[in-house]
């Protein structure tokens, strides 16, 4: 998806009752300290690639998003949930901890206290609670999930690709920087898009009161 220029965005969803029910427990049973470390690093690397794709991704969460499934959803740029969705990090019930970024992304999305709640109790929350906590941006009826998710994603894809990528990188990298360094990062990305043809087109279209035609250059 990253290297294919024809792919402009990614939509992730599941089938049936689950968005993604998490890791294969039989594989987890085989993990010792060494293989467990490799297991976690591999999953973290895959999800980090999704997170830093440079193109927007949207998780359309149709059902259970447990363990690695919740971690997958959190690695996407945006999340929309059906009313049937449930979320949780139940790894503690198996004697382990989230290993694909759950302890880190969850805290960043919903706050330290709520992340501790879900990870320590292993309990599940419904779509409404996930929305109230800020874990998902919208909750829709199951029959409307894909339609609404595509509508949201296509709306982003109609905007300037360089600006979209700059926003995602500025927020992702800047989140853990000092404010001074993060503001510098923002200014650098602002300068880059100011030199783009898309910026000239966007401003000209606004002044002419016509739709902009962005080309990603």
């Amino acid at each position: 998806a990253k290297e294919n220029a024809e792919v402009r965005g990614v939509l992730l969803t599941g089938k049936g009752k689950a968005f993604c029910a998490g890791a294969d427990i039989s594989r987890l049973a085989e993990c010792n300290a060494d293989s467990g470390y490799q297991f976690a690093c591999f999953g973290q690397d895959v999800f980090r690639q999704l997170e830093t794709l440079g193109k927007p991704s949207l998780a359309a969460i149709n059902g259970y998003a447990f363990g690695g499934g919740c971690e997958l959803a959190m690695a996407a740029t945006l999340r929309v949930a059906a009313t049937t969705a449930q979320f949780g990090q139940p790894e503690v019930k198996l004697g382990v901890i989230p290993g694909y970024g759950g302890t880190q992304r969850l805290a960043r999305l919903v706050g330290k206290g709520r992340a501790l709640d879900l990870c320590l109790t292993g309990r599940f929350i419904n779509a409404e609670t996930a929305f109230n906590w800020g874990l998902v941006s919208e909750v829709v009826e199951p029959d409307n999930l894909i339609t609404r998710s595509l509508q949201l994603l296509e709306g982003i894809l109609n905007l300037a690709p360089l600006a979209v990528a700059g926003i995602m990188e500025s927020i992702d990298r800047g989140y853990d920087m000092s404010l001074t360094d993060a503001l510098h990062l923002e200014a650098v990305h602002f300068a880059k898009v100011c030199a783009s043809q898309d910026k000239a087109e966007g401003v000209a279209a606004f002044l002419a009161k016509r739709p902009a035609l962005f080309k990603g250059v």
Side-chain angles (χ1 to χ4, degrees), residues 6 10 51-52 60 62 74 105 120 125 166-167 189 192 194:
E6 295 183 2
V10 176
E51 194 169 41
T52 59
N62 55 297
M74 290 190 291
R105 290 191 182 92
L120 289 175
I125 59 172
I167 288 169
H189 279 284
K192 287 170 62 177
C194 277

Side-chain angles (χ1 to χ4, degrees), residues 111-168:
K112 180 179 177 181
R114 286 170 171 163
L116 283 166
D117 177 343
L118 286 189
C119 291
L120 289 175
T121 65
R123 72 185 181 96
F124 304 138
I125 59 172
N126 60 21
E128 182 181 359
T129 301
F131 174 74
N132 290 335
W133 285 13
L135 184 55
V136 301
S137 56
E138 289 187 36
V139 177
V140 299
E141 292 298 322
D143 291 344
N144 195 40
L145 177 64
I146 299 303
T147 300
R148 176 54 185 153
S149 296
L150 284 172
Q151 182 185 46
L152 184 59
L153 186 58
E154 288 171 356
I156 296 170
L157 297 182
N158 285 331
L159 301 174
L162 296 178
V164 169
I167 288 169
M168 292 191 299

Side-chain angles (χ1 to χ4, degrees), residues 23 60 63 83 114 116 179 185 204 210 213:
T83 54
R114 286 170 171 163
L116 283 166
L179 180 58
L185 175 68
R210 62 170 175 82
L213 296 174

Side-chain angles (χ1 to χ4, degrees), residues 11-46:
L11 178 68
L12 302 166
T13 194
K15 186 176 182 180
K17 294 183 178 180
F19 167 74
C20 177
D24 182 346
I25 305 303
S26 63
R27 281 201 62 197
L28 182 61
E30 300 170 356
C31 287
N32 56 29
D34 290 336
S35 60
Y37 179 76
Q38 297 300 324
F39 185 82
C41 287
F42 177 79
Q44 290 176 1
D45 179 62
V46 172

